[in-house]
Amino acid sequence: MTTTSTPPRKRLFIRTWGCQMNVYDSARMADVLAPIGYAPAETPDGADMVILNTCHIREKATEKLFSELGRLREAKALKRAAGGEMVLAVAGCVAQAEGKEITARAPWVDIVLGPQTYHKLPEMVARASRAAGAVIECEFPAEDKFDHLPDAAAPQGVTAFLTVQEGCDKFCSFCVVPYTRGAEFSRPAAGVLAEARRLVASGAREVSLLGQNVNAYHGEGPDGRSWGLGRLLRALAEIPGLLRLRYTTSHPRDVDDDLVAAHRDLPQLMPFLHLPVQSGSDRVLAAMNRGHTAADFLRVVDRLREARPDLAFSSDFIAGHPGETAAEFEQTMALVRRVGFAQAYSFKYSSRPGTPAAGAPHQVPEAEKDARLQALQALLRDQQDAFNRSRVGMTFPVLFTGPGRHAGQVAGRTPWLQPLHLTGPLSLVGREAPVTVLAALPNSLSGLLAAGSGAHNVQPAEEPAPA
Ligand code: SAM
Ligand code: SF4
């Protein structure tokens, strides 16, 4: 008699820092390792492989990595004492920037790989098990990594990410991305459309297109022509079952007429746009090498609002770029007041070695940067609260994504990316249904299914927040 047995699954833990592109890359790393037997694990304890997917955008990234590696050294020794092996890999932008430095300081690391080489992970794992030293792959290979990813991917759920563009040629004074992610590259549209269809087939209803400069997208279309982001969005909007489209992160310089028209024409394109401006001062914007003025940014905002009047904006801001005066910072505050943001990310300028701003004269003192950031964040928080409160009493479609935090609750997203929850059946997950907003809580909204939505017996999830 013969018996068959499946090989034991190996446990893979991935820790992700940074942006949504890193979240997407981590999921792709799990996909390429699945065929060689790795299944996701919730903790690094006892894992057969641990990947740290790093972010280099602000300082302390390298120190955070090495303290994590110190802890993992012990976990690796415990695993070996129990008769097993833990493969330890460092991926992402710190890996790209530091390369061999990582294994020089932490020789217990087995693999160091940059963001352009993760499709080679199975081969690297095999090499690491044979090699005496670490395997380091931090090239920017000419081959397209997207062509080497498996078609089968773990389902991402109701909302999914899809990388369409990578890298950046803009070289803002403060930013490491052009050095860690390399030159701008757009995936051909056919591959993007095929991946979107697969995501929808596995349950995705909302797809967010990702890229460091997503609206610089210029991929080859199936017609052999170069497609911009607007054209790509129109093609994606034709996929049956794909209810919602978003894209991030875009640059004000690359908002062209076709993209504005896509916001006017495509109901699937959600009325919420993350459009980083960084500063409201023309002198600072020039020093940042942003290639646009404050007035250019405001014109883009106005054109988009004209095309889609319910469009709400989010942005990124840097307080205390080298040379920024108090008066120039006030111009940022004025721009924020003029636009009125629904949400925003704001950072203290953080010096990144190798970037032009790092060596610039007139670095702003830390205490001054802190004070400016606090003032900016207070204003942005007020605007976010006001925006959330402005939704109370409105009825609009919510896409339900999963169970809420409390029993009997179901959670979803508004068109403006606000989390919303209500008491209702889990059968709503994966569906869009009209909801009337009852209350704006500090970080989410609560609501009630609107009449005619097919559900019944629903209650507000929580007491409305005090006014
Ligand atoms: N490509 C996008 C753009 O052009 O705005 C943003 C990419 S970057 C990953 C995300 C944000 O991090 C930036 O918009 C910027 O506000 C912030 N950032 C980047 N480098 C920074 C630095 N050295 N100090 C503080 N914030 C920084
Ligand atoms: Fe960095 Fe500027 Fe490129 Fe954005 S556009 S990734 S901030 S260099």
Side-chain angles (χ1 to χ4, degrees):
M1 197 177 78
T2 55
T3 55
T4 53
S5 62
T6 45
R9 301 290 282 167
K10 289 175 277 185
R11 297 176 62 248
L12 166 69
F13 176 76
I14 306 183
R15 169 126 202 234
T16 309
W17 285 283
C19 64
Q20 286 158 333
M21 295 197 69
N22 266 14
V23 175
Y24 178 87
D25 287 353
S26 291
R28 296 292 73 74
M29 288 192 261
D31 289 340
V32 295
L33 289 167
I36 60 164
Y38 285 95
E42 292 295 317
T43 75
D45 303 328
D48 299 286
M49 180 162 184
V50 173
I51 302 176
L52 302 179
N53 193 8
T54 57
C55 170
H56 205 225
I57 203 79
R58 277 170 291 278
E59 61 201 334
K60 304 216 174 82
T62 314
E63 291 327 304
K64 257 194 263 171
L65 169 67
F66 282 106
S67 60
E68 185 77 15
L69 286 174
R71 283 190 288 277
L72 287 168
R73 180 187 201 171
E74 289 166 32
K76 196 169 158 125
L78 282 175
K79 178 91 180 172
R80 181 165 288 173
E85 283 299 335
M86 174 190 282
V87 180
L88 183 52
V90 178
C93 293
V94 179
Q96 186 68 44
E98 304 285 333
K100 284 193 193 120
E101 269 304 299
I102 294 177
T103 47
R105 272 180 71 179
W108 57 96
V109 170
D110 302 293
I111 297 173
V112 177
L113 71 153
Q116 306 306 335
T117 54
Y118 56 68
H119 57 295
K120 294 189 185 167
L121 259 174
E123 176 201 324
M124 289 183 229
V125 171
R127 272 164 56 206
S129 65
R130 291 192 304 266
V135 175
I136 300 181
E137 285 270 6
C138 292
E139 315 274 290
F140 287 114
E143 65 189 297
D144 174 9
K145 75 177 168 193
F146 294 104
D147 288 345
H148 292 79
L149 296 177
D151 281 352
Q156 291 189 44
V158 178
T159 58
F161 294 131
L162 201 177
T163 294
V164 301
Q165 180 280 336
E166 283 206 49
C168 179
D169 297 334
K170 293 198 168 67
F171 292 92
C172 296
S173 62
F174 50 83
C175 183
V176 290
V177 167
Y179 312 98
T180 56
R181 289 269 173 170
E184 211 172 293
F185 163 81
S186 295
R187 289 176 72 180
V192 172
L193 291 166
E195 187 168 336
R197 283 192 204 96
R198 280 197 297 274
L199 288 169
V200 172
S202 68
R205 295 291 167 264
E206 175 178 300
V207 170
S208 299
L209 307 183
L210 299 182
Q212 267 94 21
N213 268 268
V214 70
N215 58 335
Y217 179 82
H218 59 282
E220 187 191 347
D223 54 5
R225 296 184 181 190
S226 174
W227 280 18
L229 188 65
R231 181 73 191 82
L232 183 68
L233 287 163
R234 285 173 206 278
L236 286 162
E238 285 172 17
I239 297 177
L242 182 43
L243 305 179
R244 293 180 165 201
L245 286 165
R246 303 179 186 276
Y247 61 90
T248 196
T249 296
S250 29
H251 196 291
R253 255 163 73 183
D254 295 320
V255 177
D256 63 14
D257 290 346
D258 194 41
L259 188 56
V260 174
H263 280 278
R264 182 195 61 212
D265 300 339
L266 300 177
Q268 293 92 334
L269 191 52
M270 289 293 101
F272 179 77
L273 184 60
H274 183 62
L275 192 63
V277 61
Q278 317 296 356
S279 167
S281 148
D282 287 348
R283 201 206 58 78
V284 175
L285 287 168
M288 287 176 163
N289 191 31
R290 289 289 292 175
H292 62 82
T293 61
D296 292 336
F297 178 81
L298 294 173
R299 259 192 302 276
V300 170
V301 166
D302 289 345
R303 275 167 63 215
L304 284 160
R305 278 187 169 149
E306 205 177 304
R308 181 86 203 234
D310 60 345
L311 191 66
F313 288 90
S314 152
S315 198
D316 287 345
F317 298 90
I318 296 181
H321 183 269
E324 183 190 70
T325 64
E328 287 166 344
F329 171 71
E330 280 311 315
Q331 293 179 319
T332 301
M333 298 288 276
L335 179 139
V336 171
R337 286 189 200 98
R338 156 78 162 76
V339 175
F341 290 94
Q343 207 228 315
Y345 300 93
S346 44
F347 313 98
K348 240 183 344 178
Y349 168 72
S350 154
S351 173
R352 310 308 296 125
T355 58
H362 311 301
Q363 299 284 326
V364 177
E366 229 22 59
E368 185 57 35
K369 284 197 271 185
D370 279 330
R372 290 181 195 174
L373 185 66
Q374 273 182 29
L376 178 60
Q377 290 188 335
L379 176 59
L380 290 167
R381 227 181 357 258
D382 283 351
Q383 292 194 341
Q384 179 168 347
D385 289 347
F387 181 76
N388 287 345
R389 280 198 308 272
S390 74
R391 306 295 101 170
V392 175
M394 283 188 183
T395 299
F396 46 74
V398 166
L399 176 64
F400 289 95
T401 51
R405 260 199 287 152
H406 303 293
Q409 280 188 354
V410 61
R413 280 182 177 180
T414 73
W416 303 278
L417 212 51
Q418 298 143 300
L420 180 144
H421 54 260
L422 50 73
T423 302
L426 277 180
S427 57
L428 285 169
V429 174
R431 279 175 50 197
E432 243 187 358
V435 170
T436 303
V437 177
L438 294 176
L441 307 164
N443 295 309
S444 62
L445 304 177
S446 73
L448 190 64
L449 281 173
S453 60
H456 39 263
N457 201 19
V458 288
Q459 299 292 323
E462 277 174 31
E463 285 304 304

